[in-house]
Amino acid sequence: MDKAHNLTARQIKAARALLDWSQDDLASSSGLSVATIRKIELGHISPRDKTAHDIRQAFENAGLEFIEPEGVRIKPDDITIYQGKEGAKAFFDDVYETVKGKGGEIIVTCPSEPPLNEALGDYRFSHYERMIALKDRVKVKCILTEDKNSLPAIDYCEYRWISKHYVDSVPFYVYNNKYAILVFEANPSPKITVIQSHIVAEAFRRQFYSMWDKATPLNKIEHVNKQAKKKY
């Protein structure tokens, strides 16, 4: 099914049922009003192309796909592997492209930030600028388990720290319905495996927040003061 306007009210209701979404949930995820969703599902209005596209995108971002003739199902897990410095750039492009349209959240756990910066090289500066531009719509949270003094993305990322004894040292990202594992002991390094799965992403999102609640906030002002002291 290629055209968004082919989405039917039956498919929309079936998709909500698969995700256990209310009409409010769909409205929030698609950026539409609850009244619009209700009218479409009742058959009182036919969605315009952009409206149908926004609804489709919300469901696809949550891990569903629409199939002919009027079906919907949970999308089979998809795995992508990025490797080396060029792979790291492509991965961060995917992170950015996945969240830039509808906003959302990026959550991260890692021992420290420097290995990521080294993998990106100078590309990290352009990535930093584009993430700054999204900071009102995309929330970024990072749990560090070792080095808590290097916080390069603090202008758009909220950092917390927890002892490495409480969390696996392998870095992971969760963004939208994607879960990524970053391995730096690879050749070439890093090796980034991305699993596109709503179920997997939700499982690690819950794990992240169980740690987030126990972690210690890292204050931006304190970080700025530490950096200033290093200069003198």
Side-chain angles (χ1 to χ4, degrees):
M1 183 178 301
D2 297 321
K3 295 185 178 179
H5 65 259
N6 286 336
L7 210 60
T8 67
R10 179 180 296 177
Q11 283 176 298
I12 294 171
K13 287 186 280 190
R16 282 202 302 104
L18 275 174
L19 296 173
D20 195 24
W21 276 9
S22 65
Q23 290 180 335
D24 288 308
D25 293 328
L26 176 54
S28 176
S29 297
S30 63
L32 302 171
S33 70
V34 178
T36 297
I37 300 297
R38 185 179 299 116
K39 288 176 182 177
I40 291 171
E41 289 192 358
L42 289 172
H44 293 170
I45 60 172
S46 296
R48 289 183 242 179
D49 283 355
K50 184 180 184 309
T51 301
H53 175 270
D54 290 343
I55 293 172
R56 172 188 286 270
Q57 193 67 53
F59 284 131
E60 289 180 347
N61 287 343
L64 300 186
E65 66 177 357
F66 295 94
I67 55 178
E68 295 286 5
E70 291 189 15
V72 60
R73 66 183 180 185
I74 295 174
K75 186 177 181 180
D77 294 350
D78 185 23
I79 297 177
T80 303
I81 296 177
Y82 303 95
Q83 194 149 7
K85 292 187 176 181
E86 290 303 313
K89 294 177 186 178
F91 167 67
F92 280 97
D93 284 344
D94 184 60
V95 172
Y96 173 74
E97 292 295 333
T98 299
V99 300
K100 76 171 184 177
K102 294 297 180 182
E105 178 182 72
I106 301 168
I107 56 177
V108 186
T109 67
C110 61
S112 63
E113 288 279 71
L116 295 174
N117 293 332
E118 183 179 344
L120 282 176
D122 291 341
Y123 194 69
R124 70 184 185 275
F125 299 117
S126 58
H127 180 66
Y128 175 90
E129 292 299 327
R130 65 186 180 182
M131 291 305 299
I132 283 284
L134 293 181
K135 69 177 184 178
D136 291 335
R137 296 187 294 115
V138 178
K139 304 301 179 185
V140 184
K141 298 178 180 179
C142 178
I143 296 175
L144 299 175
T145 61
E146 293 179 15
D147 182 6
K148 55 184 175 182
N149 295 314
S150 179
L151 312 177
I154 200 164
D155 288 324
Y156 65 82
C157 177
E158 181 181 357
Y159 287 95
R160 293 190 180 186
W161 177 87
I162 194 170
S163 170
K164 62 182 179 181
H165 298 296
Y166 295 99
V167 60
D168 196 299
S169 61
V170 177
F172 74 76
Y173 270 63
V174 178
Y175 54 108
N176 205 300
N177 64 333
K178 298 179 181 180
Y179 166 70
I181 310 166
L182 288 72
V183 177
F184 291 93
E185 296 77 21
N187 187 20
S189 177
K191 180 178 181 181
I192 305 170
T193 303
V194 180
I195 302 171
Q196 184 168 323
S197 167
H198 177 71
I199 294 173
V200 172
E202 281 301 308
F204 280 91
R205 190 173 283 114
R206 288 192 296 271
Q207 182 185 105
F208 175 90
Y209 276 107
S210 70
M211 297 183 291
W212 182 258
D213 292 339
K214 299 178 180 68
T216 303
L218 298 178
N219 187 282
K220 180 177 181 178
I221 295 175
E222 291 177 358
H223 173 68
V224 171
N225 290 340
K226 285 179 182 177
Q227 294 301 104
K229 288 179 181 178
K230 288 180 181 179
K231 296 179 181 179
Y232 299 99

